[in-house]
Amino acid sequence: MAPTSDFDPQRVRAITLDLDDTLWPIWPTIARAEGVLQQWLDDHAPAAAALGRDKGTLREVRNQMQTLRPDLAHDMSALRRESIRLLLQRAGDDPALAETAFEVFFAERQRVELFDDALPALAFLSSRFPVVALSNGNADVHRVGLGEHFRASISAREFGVGKPDARIFHAAAAAAGVSADQVLHIGDDAHLDGVGALNAGMQLAWVNRAEHPWEHAPLQPHLTVSDLLALCQAFG
């Protein structure tokens, strides 16, 4: 654990907590969910399945959807569902299959494998503070099986803007019933979590599992930890 600024545990009245890559590694989860989706397309929309095996086509479809629907920029679920619909249309398959196909993907996306430190740290933190999930992604803490540890969950999709915008951090503080300066935000992304929380007036615990350099001086995290149990130790 490396205190790089004046962390004040006595000031903390609530926790806001990132999900993806803080509580579990996201890319193995996404890769597995995409594999399940591909198998479903093989069985129900083979032409789209064939297109979907071409990574270049998939990238083009997703880029096109982001251009066509900028209103969905903060809604990962809608972007994924509409990208599937566009793939189905391109392949000549029934675009109405997009709803079911997305649900197949989404159910698997909620099957996460927690870092070893995540559950004991969550139990520790939620026994002492209200904890609010704060995510730009589309994980559902209840479907993941962690809902009991959270007072609330704020997502970019529901709120309309995502991290690092200070407004979503302030909304999370309000959901916890405290002011922003009474919150410790915990997250792995130096820009989205780190810069966002610091600009919102929160204390920051940066979860830096891979020993990345901090590149946002003069801003500094109040704590840098290699895992969540090291963070818990900061509360004594």
Side-chain angles (χ1 to χ4, degrees):
M1 179 174 62
T4 54
S5 189
D6 295 325
F7 175 57
D8 182 1
Q10 299 303 315
R11 212 173 89 204
V12 179
R13 294 291 179 267
I15 300 291
T16 57
L17 182 63
D18 175 58
L19 301 176
D20 294 331
D21 282 333
T22 297
L23 296 182
W24 55 77
I26 184 56
W27 292 114
T29 304
I30 296 298
R32 190 180 63 248
E34 288 181 339
V36 169
L37 172 61
Q38 183 67 40
Q39 183 59 58
W40 189 91
L41 291 172
D42 283 337
D43 295 339
H44 298 89
L51 275 183
R53 285 192 180 85
D54 182 343
K55 300 303 181 185
T57 299
L58 277 181
R59 194 160 45 246
E60 181 190 342
V61 165
R62 290 170 187 168
N63 290 340
Q64 183 179 353
M65 185 50 59
Q66 289 172 341
T67 301
L68 289 172
R69 297 295 304 274
D71 57 307
L72 300 181
H74 299 296
D75 190 340
M76 296 296 103
S77 291
L79 277 174
R80 175 74 65 166
R81 184 180 59 249
E82 295 311 309
S83 293
I84 295 170
R85 194 185 312 279
L86 184 56
L87 184 70
L88 289 162
Q89 289 173 336
R90 281 196 178 190
D93 286 320
D94 183 0
L97 292 172
E99 304 295 336
T100 304
F102 171 74
E103 286 305 321
V104 167
F105 169 86
F106 192 63
E108 190 67 22
R109 189 260 185 271
Q110 308 306 314
R111 291 184 58 247
V112 300
E113 295 185 10
L114 297 172
F115 291 119
D116 290 343
D117 53 293
L119 198 55
L122 261 179
F124 175 91
L125 293 169
S126 63
S127 71
R128 289 159 175 78
F129 308 103
V131 180
V132 176
L134 183 54
S135 179
N136 284 3
N138 57 0
D140 182 321
V141 294
H142 298 286
R143 290 182 67 166
V144 164
L146 300 175
E148 66 183 291
H149 298 291
F150 289 91
R151 170 74 60 86
S153 181
I154 306 290
S155 72
R157 177 183 65 83
E158 295 165 341
F159 188 67
V161 298
K163 299 179 291 187
D165 192 300
R167 289 173 293 176
I168 195 170
F169 289 91
H170 292 157
V178 301
S179 60
D181 65 346
Q182 296 175 305
V183 173
L184 175 67
H185 179 69
I186 305 167
D188 72 288
D189 191 295
H191 176 60
L192 299 179
D193 291 300
V195 173
L198 292 168
N199 284 338
M202 296 178 172
Q203 293 194 84
L204 169 67
W206 182 36
V207 183
N208 185 16
R209 297 179 185 273
E211 299 185 352
H212 295 299
W214 176 265
E215 298 178 339
H216 300 284
L219 295 173
Q220 293 290 336
H222 296 79
L223 287 173
T224 299
V225 294
S226 58
D227 61 50
L228 294 171
L229 290 179
L231 166 66
C232 294
Q233 293 172 6
F235 289 99

